[in-house]
Amino acid sequence: GLNAWQMEGVDNFGNVQFTGYYTPVLQARHTRQGEFRHPLYAMPSKGKKNRRLPDRAGIYAGALDERLVLAWTNSLVDNFMMEVQGSAYIDFGDGRPLTFFGYAGKNGHAYRSIGKVLIDRGEVPREEMSMQAIRKWAEQHTEYEVRELFEQNPSFVFFKPMMSAPVKGASAVPLVAKASVASDRSLIPAGTALLMEVPLLDNVGKFTGKYEMRLMIALDVGGAIKGQHFDMYQGIEPDAGHSAGFYNHYGRVWVLKNAQSSPTNSSGSSLLVNYQQH
């Protein structure tokens, strides 16, 4: 009773982009102290005038009210990676259960990939780009240089604490590792069932030449997830962060629909141009 519609891919030959994301665990404190001096912010109110929120550089410079600070972490890089992932568990170091910080909103400025910035600057070869490569670059540069790099992405993410909450995506459904993906909602509606030919990587992130067929569900979204691109949820660190950081590969995807329906996007428009029926 199902039809499988193969996606066109980024090249119109069926090659769909796969990246990965995960839920990190950050060390933090309730007050600013010692190395714990990097703030995580709650979503500010725009006020009656619906004013535009400051960009990343402005926020780093102290443009937001300190009363919005939810926690102070010991790593600007971890904060940035947390924004990329969209959520994290926070360990306040007081022996209490971890607090889940979920996505609360953005500042409204355009997203720019710092990975692409490093590639364009000739700092990291395109074929070696990964979250691990960005971390390695940050370890070899000063905090001023790291901050300058991050400021090239004016978009900024805010969070909200959620006690004892499972990791949920934009669909408000708990995410299951290696079974949940983020998609472009204009192309792949929430809840869509997908048969995905996932490329298998080795321990250093190299493609093994093998694929694994997985049934996955579109349950999340992402600022950088547009078009023929899926972001696969890998779970909670540390191993999840390792695998998520390496994924930037290609494979095939089939959208599963019941036999009475044809693929449409969220507005009801036909997406036959994006699929081939099998």
Side-chain angles (χ1 to χ4, degrees):
L2 291 176
N3 285 335
W5 302 79
Q6 184 179 356
M7 295 187 67
E8 267 188 345
V10 296
D11 56 358
N12 296 328
F13 286 96
N15 289 303
V16 176
Q17 183 181 10
F18 290 100
T19 52
Y21 71 113
Y22 72 111
T23 305
V25 177
L26 275 65
Q27 300 297 314
R29 298 293 184 266
H30 292 288
T31 58
R32 181 171 181 161
Q33 52 185 276
E35 64 178 348
F36 295 93
R37 52 190 175 85
H38 303 287
L40 295 173
Y41 287 102
M43 183 75 189
S45 170
K46 292 184 178 180
K48 295 181 180 180
K49 296 183 179 180
N50 200 30
R51 61 183 176 85
R52 195 178 191 194
L53 296 173
D55 63 8
R56 179 176 299 276
I59 293 172
Y60 281 173
L64 295 180
D65 191 324
E66 198 166 296
R67 287 175 294 182
L68 291 168
V69 176
L70 298 170
W72 300 90
T73 78
N74 59 355
S75 171
L76 184 66
V77 176
D78 283 350
N79 285 16
F80 189 89
M81 294 301 181
M82 177 178 171
E83 290 185 52
V84 173
Q85 307 309 316
S87 64
Y89 281 101
I90 304 299
D91 183 354
F92 282 106
D94 53 8
R96 296 183 182 181
L98 303 182
T99 303
F100 180 68
F101 275 30
Y103 174 87
K106 296 192 294 187
N107 61 348
H109 292 260
Y111 174 88
R112 186 184 183 196
S113 167
I114 62 166
K116 187 176 186 303
V117 172
L118 288 175
I119 291 170
D120 291 345
R121 291 179 177 181
E123 301 265 10
V124 179
R126 183 179 300 275
E127 62 274 12
E128 296 179 11
M129 179 50 65
S130 66
M131 282 195 291
Q132 282 86 340
I134 294 173
R135 282 191 178 277
K136 183 177 180 181
W137 182 93
E139 290 169 359
Q140 297 170 345
H141 290 77
T142 66
E143 184 174 315
Y144 174 84
E145 291 170 323
V146 172
R147 176 170 158 171
E148 186 276 332
L149 172 66
F150 291 170
E151 288 176 353
Q152 301 309 303
N153 175 22
S155 178
F156 194 92
V157 175
F158 303 102
F159 299 97
K160 55 185 175 183
M162 303 164 66
M163 296 300 293
S164 303
V167 181
K168 295 182 179 180
S171 299
V173 175
L175 300 179
V176 177
K178 300 183 180 180
S180 307
V181 297
S183 66
D184 182 342
R185 285 282 173 84
S186 68
L187 189 65
I188 303 295
T192 299
L194 305 157
L195 185 62
M196 309 184 81
E197 182 186 64
V198 180
L200 297 179
L201 311 182
D202 62 19
N203 288 333
V204 293
K206 302 300 181 183
F207 177 45
T208 62
K210 298 179 181 180
Y211 295 87
E212 180 177 81
M213 298 300 291
R214 294 183 192 163
L215 184 64
M216 306 184 83
I217 308 294
L219 291 177
D220 209 354
V221 297
I225 312 305
K226 304 296 181 185
Q228 309 268 324
H229 177 188
F230 292 96
D231 209 18
M232 303 181 296
Y233 181 62
Q234 300 295 304
I236 301 171
E237 70 166 14
D239 291 341
H242 184 77
S243 59
F246 283 131
Y247 262 110
N248 189 9
H249 297 72
Y250 295 84
R252 294 181 293 175
V253 176
W254 292 264
V255 176
L256 302 182
K257 294 277 186 177
N258 65 50
Q260 287 73 44
S261 65
S262 62
T264 57
N265 62 14
S266 56
S267 64
S269 302
S270 174
L271 279 173
L272 290 174
V273 66
N274 296 106
Y275 303 96
Q276 295 176 338
Q277 187 176 7
H278 286 248

